[in-house]
Amino acid sequence: MSRIVIAIGGNAILNPTRGSPVEQKILIDNTCMEIAEIIRRGYDVVLTHGNGPQIGNILAMQEECGIVHPQPLDVCGAQTQGLLGYSLQQSLDNTLRESGIKKQVVTVLTQVIVDESCSSFGNPTKPIGIYYPEKRAQEMIAQGIKMIHDKKGYRRVVPSPEPVAIVEEEIIAKLVQEGVVMIAAGGGGIPVIRKKGLLMGVEAVIDKDLTGSLLASSIGAETFQILTDVEKASLNYGKENQVDLDEITVSEAERYVKEGHFGKGSMEPKILAALRFIKKGGKTAIISSLDKALPALDGKAGTRVVA
Ligand code: ADP
Ligand code: MG
């Protein structure tokens, strides 16, 4: 059996137009139908997912409510693993049952040890959550919250350190071995560090593509697939001379990253995640859109990073 880690992006799980719970469910069911097809093909699937919009919503609710005490980011991250894990787990369970595939689906609350010395702790640059109007943003800045200003308004920025190790990797690998469909390391994992051997949460978020790559290497997956909202990674993206990439080597990928072809915080971490997986001995790393997930596994769609 071939082991695969699939990382799905925000668009596969959250309606960009603030979908109602019913619309949300339709979106998740649709995503799970694609994942179920991959399971039907005989892959042992570990699913991981982003949480950007969801953690943003939790922060916005905390801030605007004004009654309850705001929770730290590791706790908010854990909440999103629960809410998305539940939705995906139930939907995937139902889809598999309807397809006559007898498999259990389990979500693991996953902690990820981050690099404490990462410069992002002193200089947070990862924007999360909603945009705030000037007045509210100034109040938040006065409270010590770090914000950046771009074309659309003010946004909170937080540290996004490098993922170093997955605390629950052994149990995830064991359950995959048992034939369980796993949902793990959601939202890039709950960021933690070890102090004198003991775990503690930190105020940060982790990139889900980089954690997905680490997860895939840690559990010895043959394939790492990132599903997003574009079919391929491109050079000169959005320009007249855009070139969509079918297959690139690790050294080409590194060169293209240096040349700045991939959006920071969007396509760049996907390329880095794919090439890290291959460098650590992984067989196949693919970036594609959700609807092209199967043809991409057959080499007929998406962008492949090869040794
Ligand atoms: P996800 O939620 O799936 O992680 P992101 O929005 O973070 O999705 O990343 C996917 C986006 O990356 C695409 O929608 C596209 O706009 C953007 N992008 C930036 N640079 C590139 C590139 N060179 N090629 C393709 N897409 C790119
Ligand atoms: Mg992203």
Side-chain angles (χ1 to χ4, degrees), residues 8-11 50-52 126 207-209 226 228 265-267 269-270:
I8 54 175
N11 58 297
N51 73 346
K126 170 73 187 169
D207 183 87
K208 71 112 180 19
D209 297 311
I226 300 174
T228 183
S266 58
M267 189 50 75
K270 298 185 201 318

Side-chain angles (χ1 to χ4, degrees), residues 3 21 39 50 58 62 65 69 78 88 105 115 157 184-185 200 219 236 240 247 262 277 282 293:
R3 206 173 269 197
I39 296 168
I58 290 172
Q62 297 193 146
C65 154
H69 204 288
L88 289 165
V105 187
D115 178 7
V157 283
M200 60 183 276
I219 65 165
N236 309 314
E240 264 173 32
E247 189 171 285
F262 309 116
F277 176 68

